[in-house]
Structures are given as C-alpha cells and as structure tokens.
Amino acid sequence: MPTRAKFRCSTVEQTSNQPYERKLYPAGGGEPTAEMTWPRKYRFVAVTDDSTPENQRYAQYTPSGELTIQVDNPNVAFEPGTDYYLDFTPVEDVATDGANA
C-alpha cells in the first residue's frame, strides 16, 4: 500500500571539498557524458509540530523519523526548513536486464 510521510529538510552538508566527475548515462544507451559536481548530504526529519491540521495528521502517524540521503545531481536541491512529502510505493517485481533506473 502506498504511504505518504511529511518530512522537513533540516540540514545540507557539502560532503567533499573537491568536485568530481559524474558520468551521465543516456536512457537509450550510448556513450556516457561527464559533468563536474559536488556531492551533498541532506538530512530530513519527520514533521511533528501541530501548527496545522495537516501537520497534526502526519505527526499522529509518523511521530518521529529521520532520513539522510546523498545527492550528486547538481539539478536536485532541497532547502533546509522546507517541508517535503515522501511517497513510499512498493516496487513491483519486474524482470530487468540488471540495470538500475
């Protein structure tokens, strides 16, 4: 069953002082290209304040929780202090050719 949680980005941390080359693989195959990026680590915490009716509902079902992710894609950014919905949906068993999406 899909489940939605409400989390707040609490911190962002640059995890390296040196940029590195990230390879981008085309969806249809072919030669990868490269770009320079700085990895960042984002920490999210469950929204537990009861300042709004929506927050009260989310805090009731997710009274605590933490998520930490590292992002290398320069086009993806989260703002500390901003709330985000996290949707959890089970992955259906699908035969793959071994590649990750």
Side-chain angles (χ1 to χ4, degrees), residues 50-59:
D50 59 358
S51 60
T52 67
E54 181 184 69
N55 285 357
Q56 291 170 3
R57 287 193 308 276
Y58 279 100

Side-chain angles (χ1 to χ4, degrees), residues 1-93:
M1 175 174 83
T3 302
R4 174 170 273 193
K6 190 174 183 180
F7 277 66
R8 179 170 294 138
C9 181
S10 61
T11 62
V12 59
E13 169 189 348
Q14 188 171 311
T15 59
S16 172
N17 290 330
Q18 298 294 319
Y20 74 94
E21 185 175 272
R22 180 175 87 103
K23 290 189 178 181
L24 303 172
Y25 295 90
E31 292 297 315
T33 58
E35 69 180 358
M36 299 304 287
T37 188
W38 286 263
R40 294 152 338 271
K41 185 184 293 185
Y42 292 96
R43 181 173 172 259
F44 296 83
V45 294
V47 171
T48 58
D49 67 69
D50 59 358
S51 60
T52 67
E54 181 184 69
N55 285 357
Q56 291 170 3
R57 287 193 308 276
Y58 279 100
Q60 178 181 356
Y61 296 106
T62 313
S64 67
E66 185 174 312
L67 173 71
T68 302
I69 60 173
Q70 179 168 315
V71 176
D72 294 341
N73 186 336
N75 297 317
V76 174
F78 300 100
E79 292 294 322
T82 301
D83 294 346
Y84 295 90
Y85 294 118
L86 298 179
D87 293 317
F88 296 93
T89 305
V91 175
E92 296 180 22
D93 284 336

